[in-house]
Structure formats: structure tokens, C-alpha cells
Amino acid sequence: MLRIFFSSEDIARTRVASAADPVWELILSLHLLQGRTHDPVMSGWRRDVYRGLRRENVASQQRLLFALNPPRGYFPDFLTPTQSAQGFDAGLEAIRSTPPRLLHRDLTVLATESALPSSASALARGESVVLEHLTDSMRQYRSVALGPYWDRVEAAVEADRIRRARALLDGGAEGLLASLRPAVRWSAGVLEVLDYPDTRELHLGDRGLLLIPSFFCSRTPVALFDPELPPVLVYPVDRLGGLVPAPGEGTGPTPAGGGREALAALLGRTRAHVLEVVDEGCSTGEVARRLRISPAAASQHATVLRNAGLLVSQRDRNNVRHTLTPLGRAMLHQ
């Protein structure tokens, strides 16, 4: 069990990451890919990723990356730098810039639990060629394993953020922490991760906690090993039915028009058309004109879609402009 201790300052400084973290998702997807637990929701993704790596002839180049990320147990902290919140490229640059002493420390811990290839020794010394090879491998792997599915990952994470925002509004920061059950338990200033593989305590020391919702986090929330690093807790989100490739990037054909017909059946034909019109961003008046409905009807449909988390609305002088959320965009295009 992992027990995280909060002061009143820590509770005030607890927040949720603003979007899916591309490096955390990559690393956790490697664990899920190699795991032996049968997960019918992800079995098609696992099969397609292995096929894609073989087709691109990059599987052999991924040996070090896979070795650093065993399906269970410890994995190095340096692989998930805080800079990844600024984007995938920023995360890779931070990995390439990891000080040798931290590489040596992390790999020494990993070597006690897992067999490592010979290239790990050069990595532990901070050799730039090996660090470049590692981040190149991450980029190659991402193009196969995450790229075709990223809209769905973002949609699931955004849907979870909406859920956490409601918990925060209803119950404050303590309500937010309590909303993470059943994977964790919140009580009297202590957050307990119930099925954590080790017995650990983490004292936040007034630094607060960053909660990172993750599509590929599998069942048990994850924390960094080093207690001196900025504290994070990565937790699993509802996967919204699993993964399907984005249009044009999948491995098989998609019946033309099938997705739009299913969307119309789910939302109603007019609201499905509103999503299509709002895809590029437009005002309530533009929705009304393009769909030949009254402004009042357009506003009503937009309100229903906004309350469902599918679009957001912003006032611009006398107009209200609507844009799709990642969830709305995923529903429209998939």
C-alpha cells in the first residue's frame, strides 16, 4: 500500500493535469502491451501494435526501451520527466538531458529486478548516442502504438477531467481526492493506494500533488519512486469502450457513413449535425443558418451538447462561439 500524507497546504495545492501526458501514456502503454493479464478491451490494440512494430521493422530497435519498462514492478523515474506536461518533444529533450548520476541511480535499482541489455551500461554512463537512440525508439513506438489512437486517449482523459471538476465543485479538494475511489481511499489527510505493489509512505511537505489521469494506467495508480521529485499520482480513467484507430490510420476498412449514422442514432440527427457544423468552430447564429433552424433551437441543442461535455461555448461581444471538446471531436470522427 502507498500512503500519501497531506497537510492543509498540500490539499490546497492539489490539482489535476490539464491534458493527457504524452510521455506517461507512452511509458504506461509499454507496461500494458507486455502484460499477461487478459484485457478484452485492449486486446485488439495489443495485437495491432505488435503487428505494426513488425511491419515497420523497428521491433529490434525497441529492445532497450522495452527492457526499461517491464510489465510489473519498478521502472525508472527519468523516463517520465515533469517537462512532458509541455508536450512530447519537451519530454524527450528532458530525457536526453538527464544527469548521469540520476541515470546510474535509476538503472542500478532496475538491474536488481530485471535483466538489462548491454546498452544499459552505456545509458547509465549518460552516453549521448544511447540517449538519442532511446528517445528515437520512443518516437518510433509512439507513431505505431499511440498516434492512430490519440484522439480517443485525449477524449477519455478530458471526460475524466470533467468528472473531477464536478467532484471539486461539489466537495472541494477533499471531494476531488475522495472521487478517486475504489482504487484509493481518502481519510483524515491520508490518501491510500490500496493495491500498490510496495509498502511506502510519501509525505508531500506542502508541495501539493499533481493528479494525472491516464488512459493506459492499468487499474492501480502509479507514483514516482524518488520522494524528492515533484509529487504525482497517475490514475486510470474510464477507457470509453477501448481503442479504435482514427480515420485513415487503422488497419482495416471502416464502412462509409457508418459512424455518422450511429452518432445520429445516439444523439438525434439534428444534434449530430450540430457537432459537424461546430467542428471548425462557429457561432449560434451560424449553426442556425447552416442547419436552417431557429436561433433558439440552435442554442438549445448547443446547451445539451455542452452539458454533455461535447462542446464548449465562449461569448465574443454579442455572439456565442462554440468549439468541440476532445470528447466531442472523438465522437464525431470515430
Side-chain angles (χ1 to χ4, degrees):
M1 177 186 295
L2 171 64
R3 304 181 77 217
I4 305 176
F5 292 83
F6 289 72
S7 66
S8 57
E9 187 71 20
D10 290 319
I11 293 175
R13 291 184 174 180
T14 293
R15 67 271 188 214
V16 179
S18 60
D21 187 301
V23 176
W24 267 109
E25 295 290 1
L26 184 153
I27 295 301
L28 294 176
S29 77
L30 282 161
H31 303 171
L32 191 63
L33 182 67
Q34 300 176 85
R36 296 183 179 180
T37 302
H38 178 64
D39 185 346
V41 172
M42 301 299 290
S43 59
W45 168 83
R46 182 182 283 115
R47 180 188 62 247
D48 289 345
V49 170
Y50 276 124
R51 285 177 179 172
L53 292 175
R54 288 194 297 268
R55 184 172 60 249
E56 298 295 329
N57 198 30
V58 296
S60 62
Q61 301 173 32
Q62 309 291 321
R63 187 183 177 200
L64 177 60
L65 177 61
F66 274 64
L68 295 177
N69 291 281
R72 291 186 60 83
Y74 173 82
F75 62 97
D77 285 341
F78 81 87
L79 289 174
T80 52
T82 58
Q83 292 89 337
S84 63
Q86 307 303 316
F88 187 63
D89 289 337
L92 295 191
E93 179 58 33
I95 291 171
R96 287 191 292 268
S97 302
T98 306
R101 64 179 179 81
L102 297 182
L103 294 169
H104 182 269
R105 181 200 64 183
D106 287 3
L107 291 172
T108 298
V109 175
L110 182 60
T112 64
E113 301 183 7
S114 305
L116 297 176
S118 58
S119 55
S121 297
L123 179 62
R125 294 191 297 271
E127 294 187 11
S128 58
V129 173
V130 183
L131 283 163
E132 286 284 352
H133 169 77
L134 175 62
T135 54
D136 286 347
S137 297
M138 293 174 71
R139 195 180 297 279
Q140 291 170 340
Y141 172 81
R142 182 182 187 236
S143 69
V144 173
L146 274 69
Y149 312 94
W150 192 245
D151 280 351
R152 181 60 63 91
V153 172
E154 288 187 307
V157 168
E158 183 62 22
D160 185 86
R161 278 174 42 79
I162 292 170
R163 176 185 175 189
R164 304 307 162 193
R166 289 172 179 161
L168 181 65
L169 288 172
D170 291 343
E174 295 196 53
L176 167 64
L177 293 166
S179 75
L180 298 173
R181 59 182 182 270
V184 305
R185 180 171 57 211
W186 169 256
S187 178
V190 180
L191 189 69
E192 297 177 331
V193 181
L194 303 177
D195 197 26
Y196 204 75
D198 298 322
T199 300
R200 289 178 52 200
E201 290 186 354
L202 175 60
H203 294 265
L204 298 178
D206 294 344
R207 293 173 295 174
L209 181 67
L210 176 62
L211 299 169
I212 303 179
S214 169
F215 188 97
F216 286 100
C217 184
S218 182
R219 195 166 63 86
T220 303
V222 178
L224 294 169
F225 183 77
D226 184 355
E228 299 302 316
L229 290 171
V232 302
L233 186 69
V234 186
Y235 66 90
V237 304
D238 188 326
R239 292 179 178 144
L240 303 181
L243 287 177
V244 293
E249 299 186 80
T251 56
T254 300
R260 297 299 169 90
E261 289 300 318
L263 186 63
L266 175 66
L267 299 177
R269 193 165 298 278
T270 301
R271 286 177 188 155
H273 286 325
V274 171
L275 278 189
E276 293 182 17
V277 170
V278 172
D279 192 17
E280 300 298 327
C282 65
S283 68
T284 303
E286 289 172 323
V287 172
R289 286 193 297 274
R290 292 178 63 177
L291 298 185
R292 297 182 180 179
I293 58 179
S294 70
S299 179
Q300 181 182 26
H301 289 308
T303 298
V304 171
L305 294 171
R306 182 171 60 252
N307 290 341
L310 303 182
L311 59 79
V312 293
S313 305
Q314 293 178 308
R315 180 167 293 280
D316 181 13
R317 297 181 183 178
N318 295 326
N319 293 319
V320 176
R321 188 169 183 82
H322 311 287
T323 55
L324 296 185
T325 64
L327 176 58
R329 187 163 287 110
M331 288 188 66
L332 176 63
H333 292 293
Q334 307 210 30

